[in-house]
Amino acid sequence: MSLPPQEQFQKFIANSKEVLIFVPENPSLDAIGSAWALAFFLEQKNISATVFFQDQAKANFDFLPKPSKIISQISGAREFMLSFNTTRNKITNLRHEIVGDFFNVYLTPEKGSLDPRDFSFILAKFKYDLIVVIDSSDLESLGKIHINNSDLFFEVPIVNIDHKSNNENFGQINLVDSTASSCAEILKNTMENIDKTAITKDIATCLLAGIIGATNNFQKKNTTPKSLLASAELMDQGAEQQNIIRRIYKTQPLYILKLLGRVMGKLNWEEKHRLAWADLALEDFVQSRSTPENLPIILEKLQENYIDGQFFIIFYNDTPESSIALVKTTRTEMLKKISLLFPSSIKMNLLEIKLAQNNLKIAAQFLIAKLENILANE
């Protein structure tokens, strides 16, 4: 009989020395808080933990205690071994030199010359024992890092931690619980099962930040008695609730407020399908000193302010000839249905659609008509 996922994870951790933790592109506070907390927890267990976070300069998570090993590119994850069979001839010396773009290795044999048949070129194992993917429905949510390092994800065991119902259970171990409010809630329970005494103040703060972010300070429907109890226990363990709330909800950069104001000023509402949308010109980004990379947080704010809304879309021009529609919805199962109709990608529960129209009003009419057709045929 196989072990439950929690026990499998505990066994994997016990046998690991190097763990690599991934969060999706445009990570949520839940993803970051959970990743930071897991890194701290593993360090408490004398396990080296590295977090891959490619958008460090674009996100403001500085109020959280930060783990020591955060990388934005993967290098040196795997060694290549040049092996020489010394049965017939010994190697007495080795040296190397760099000449232009070439790295040359020189071997000195004990006698005569070396036989090329005695050489073999071997791919060594990856230095990581375990990969943990947090808050990602699938590996594609990680973006190009997954495509560019497919061997890493194929050869190293994966632990998949998520709370979304559309998760594809892609891991060797799947800690997926759609009844949980957040990944942070799942991790809190997992850590306590392994070693409750290892949960420090920093870990508790990161986990609480994740739960608060995922539940919008306990205002979303995913808030449950379990998440409230978990939060209370984390505060008992030293989590800094007031600082988290102040930094998330009471402190916003001026450019975010300006951009939000411009979106609200252009907001349109489609009552039938509870759809809110706005189109932003280049001037809106220039005047607010913001960029399209700031739009995920704007969509999050729209969802918070329009609790009756189901679809939230922002249109903007990415080139003089085309436009982008960024779609957020409370009906996450719709994202893949919509994505099949357009050149698009799904990142962190946001659908990015590429449209050939450069006129934003026409692009909006076109996409909304397509969306209404999908909804009418449900």
Side-chain angles (χ1 to χ4, degrees), residues 259 263 266 278-282 284-285 295 314-317 360:
L259 182 59
V263 170
K266 294 186 170 186
D279 57 276
L280 294 178
L282 176 61
D284 293 311
F285 294 110
L295 291 177
I314 294 178
F315 298 86
Y316 66 93
N317 289 114
L360 295 178

Side-chain angles (χ1 to χ4, degrees), residues 16 22 73 89 92 98 103 110 113 118 124 126 141 177 185 201 214 220 252 267 271 274 303 316 322 337 372:
S16 297
F22 286 93
Q73 59 181 356
N89 203 352
T92 60
I98 299 174
F103 185 92
E110 184 179 57
S113 59
D118 290 333
F126 286 99
S141 301
D177 183 1
E185 183 182 328
K201 178 181 178 179
K220 286 186 178 180
Q252 289 292 343
L267 202 63
E271 179 64 35
R274 292 189 282 173
Q303 186 174 344
Y316 66 93
S322 62
K337 288 184 180 180
E372 288 177 342

Side-chain angles (χ1 to χ4, degrees), residues 124-135:
K125 289 184 178 180
F126 286 99
K127 73 175 183 178
Y128 299 106
D129 309 299
L130 190 64
I131 288 173
V132 180
V133 179
I134 296 175
D135 199 29

Side-chain angles (χ1 to χ4, degrees), residues 25 326 339 342-347 350-354:
E25 290 187 315
L326 203 59
S339 70
F342 307 95
S344 59
S345 61
I346 299 174
K347 301 175 182 178
L350 290 178
L351 176 62
E352 184 179 290
I353 299 173
K354 179 83 169 180

Side-chain angles (χ1 to χ4, degrees), residues 273 275 342 363-376:
H273 298 297
L275 187 154
F342 307 95
Q365 292 172 3
F366 173 74
L367 178 60
I368 292 171
K370 289 283 190 181
L371 180 57
E372 288 177 342
N373 186 53
I374 294 173
L375 295 171

